[in-house]
Amino acid sequence: LEHRIQLVDLRQTHMLPDLQSERERLAKAMGYRDRAGANALSSFEKDLVAHRSVVRTIHERLFYRPLLEAFAASPTISLTPEGADRQLTALGFRDVEGARRAAGDLTAGLSRRSKLMQQTLPLLLEWLSRTPDPDLGLEQLRILVTTTEDNKPLVAVLRDDPVAAERLCVLLGSSRVAGRYIDRIPRFLPELGDDDRIGRPIDRSTAIRAAVDYAMLRPTYPRRLNALRRYVRSAQLRILARDLLDLTDERSIARELADVADGAVSAALEIARAELPEDPGPPPFAIIAMGKWGGRELGYPSDLDVLFAYRIPDGSHGPAARAAADELARSFSAALGKVTEEGVAYKVDAGLRPEGKDGPLARTLDGYLQYYERWAEVWEHQALTRARWVVGDREIGEAFVVSAGTFAFPDPLTPEAIREIRKMKARIEAERIP
């Protein structure tokens, strides 16, 4: 069957085609024919299920069941410790002592959980063996099963949902972050077996609405911070799962991660505003995304590069408005980056602002424009190619992005600017690319 699949377009694949027409062609290529009471495809698929069942039974009896007996110290044990080590090594485990210890912890005792693990561990080991890091996967599974206080959702998945259980093994053997997040979001586990739920992408408007509601429904500042961090972790875990399970592509992942950040930033601004006095209150204020976040090219561990812009209202005192804007910017950064019992949502980096860390945290739009026109270097103009208004005062944000475009894309480029760009490119190739 594998050879017949690979003969189509001469592709190195081991997957059955999804389209019924292609499966019918494959069945007939295998010699099956339509007959009274059964067509070629149904006969082929029935035989395939039977063959797989036989092979799995033999494979488990010869390879995994002796391992399980060795881990559980069964009186019927027929596998020596050396034999167990050889089989674990063949499965891809490098730390065989750690694997034996983890498997022993999972299967030891007479509890319902232990009995379940004794039944399912051979299959789990097979799934873990296909992951990039089987040792990591087995250790993270041990931690999930043996240290989680309420592991009922986990036990239910391992017992009742083989699709979700296999996908859980893929996540645990591929990412330490996934294991850490799953441990704190047990409701995520049942979703793993549901393609409609786990495969549903996160869009920007939904992310903003969900993050703001999730945080602001809490009555106190500490609880809002913790809720925001839980929202970010939950959303990132769903994206990570689709990433590791090949249910999406890299470009979509980066966009979704940026959309989740937009949602978190919107919630953080609401949290920050709620903590400041209403009278006189902060001036009109906008948050501009920069860097990978601004370009919607965000990665999982990325900081959020940000600029803060404000406007001095008519009749207001300039220094007072500046102080209020700086205070709002600091409060916003803390809402995302302050360490709580739930960790941090994002680290906020305002280092791309004019004059860097020596400059004021927030500036007026005119202040930004004067700086970029008079003193900014070419790299600072180029950084503006990714400037994107995210939240806050729309008029300020859109005016900033429009003005930024005149500096980011000057027409024509001066000879001096061209020289600077070439020097930057040479430096990147020499220092960053290697």
Side-chain angles (χ1 to χ4, degrees), residues 136-212:
L136 173 66
L138 184 57
E139 176 60 18
Q140 293 200 122
L141 180 65
R142 182 193 68 79
I143 293 172
L144 276 177
V145 173
T146 62
T147 66
T148 304
E149 291 184 7
D150 181 12
N151 58 18
K152 290 181 181 177
L154 174 61
V155 171
V157 162
L158 295 177
R159 182 188 62 223
D160 303 329
D161 193 338
V163 173
E166 182 175 5
R167 287 176 170 178
L168 174 63
C169 289
V170 172
L171 300 186
L172 295 178
S174 303
S175 167
R176 194 176 299 277
V177 171
R180 189 166 66 244
Y181 281 8
I182 289 170
D183 187 26
R184 307 182 76 169
I185 313 175
R187 67 181 182 278
F188 166 77
L189 289 169
E191 298 180 15
L192 272 174
D194 187 337
D195 283 354
D196 289 337
R197 295 176 71 184
I198 197 65
R200 190 180 304 141
I202 298 173
D203 65 85
R204 185 175 186 273
S205 59
T206 301
I208 291 174
R209 185 167 58 252
V212 172

Side-chain angles (χ1 to χ4, degrees), residues 295-312:
R296 300 185 78 198
E297 303 165 337
L298 208 59
Y300 294 103
S302 297
D303 297 347
L304 301 186
D305 291 307
V306 65
L307 298 178
F308 303 109
Y310 70 96
R311 183 178 68 247
I312 301 174

